[in-house]
Amino acid sequence: MRVFVTGARGFVGRHLVPRLLDEGFEVTATDRDLDVSDRAAVDARLKQVKPEAIVHLAAQSSVAASTEDPERTHRINYGGALSVLEGALRCGSRPRVLLIGSADQYGSAGPGSPPFREDSPLAPASEYARSKTEAERLGTSFLDAGLEVVRIRAFSHSGPGQSDAFALSSFARQTAEIEAGRREPVLRVGNLDSVRDYLDVDDVVEAYLRLLDPDVAADIYNVASGVGTRLGELLDALLDLADQRPSIERDPERFRPADCSIGDASRLRAATGWKPAVPIERTLERLLDDWRRKIKES
């Protein structure tokens, strides 16, 4: 199968592309060489490649950055989806499209709330989440035009290569810098009472591979573990792997009200047999080791 991947040099793309190649897929990987909001450029590349599947990863994925520049976020996240979907219709091969969305589309729930299902109401609260919700609705509209558009709502995931704009990676980077003597032994955090449903990036990649199967219905799928863990517990687990125990300090810049986001992936499991395989402890270990290596080499 010929697969066209946008955002291939991003966090998930760097894990997905090698896996696709290992599995025997023919991959065209694009990143900053292709502005996904440029409809003519996307159209030309897709007509050239004529892929049988597209994994649309390219996005502005930071909630904070989306607040600072909502126009750019909308241009990339919504405009990029429009370019890819229109290009897929016109390229002559009618590819299956994996449109990657986010758990943020559901908003947040109170403690003890049931996991979000695909039919749960959407309540996007950030520019990022709103742009992903609009892109998903756009994807749904293209089903009527004959495109197989698989709409994915991925819950929190982490692993080697993730930006420190995200909580677990920020914890890991600060810890590695403290170990290396590059930072005072104080770890600055936001609200550790928030509850998240975390996956390893390799489990997310496995889900995407299974959803490329043309025998799987082009539907909306949560990619989630179904297990919520308090951020403070995850930080404790990370620090158990560290060479020293820093003090913890709340950073007003990072602090947000505590919330809860857990997903139900039973639809995905029923359709593909997928389930998470990587323990969160292993994810944290790989994440910390990756930051240790980067800091040592810097």
Side-chain angles (χ1 to χ4, degrees), residues 41-122:
V42 172
D43 204 53
R45 289 296 297 276
L46 290 175
K47 283 179 178 176
Q48 177 187 42
V49 175
K50 296 190 184 306
E52 294 162 277
I54 298 170
V55 184
H56 181 45
L57 295 172
Q60 194 298 97
S61 59
S62 165
V63 171
S66 77
T67 302
E68 293 168 5
D69 194 344
E71 184 177 340
R72 177 175 182 270
T73 298
H74 188 270
R75 176 176 61 80
I76 295 172
N77 293 357
Y78 178 82
L82 179 61
S83 296
V84 168
L85 291 165
E86 288 187 337
L89 263 186
R90 291 193 289 256
C91 71
S93 56
R94 287 293 167 121
R96 183 179 181 88
V97 180
L98 268 57
L99 198 61
I100 312 301
S102 168
D104 282 8
Q105 293 171 231
Y106 292 112
S108 60
S113 298
F116 291 114
R117 298 171 57 89
E118 289 86 354
D119 58 1
S120 297
L122 300 182

Side-chain angles (χ1 to χ4, degrees), residues 59 231 233 260:
L231 275 177
E233 294 177 32
C260 177

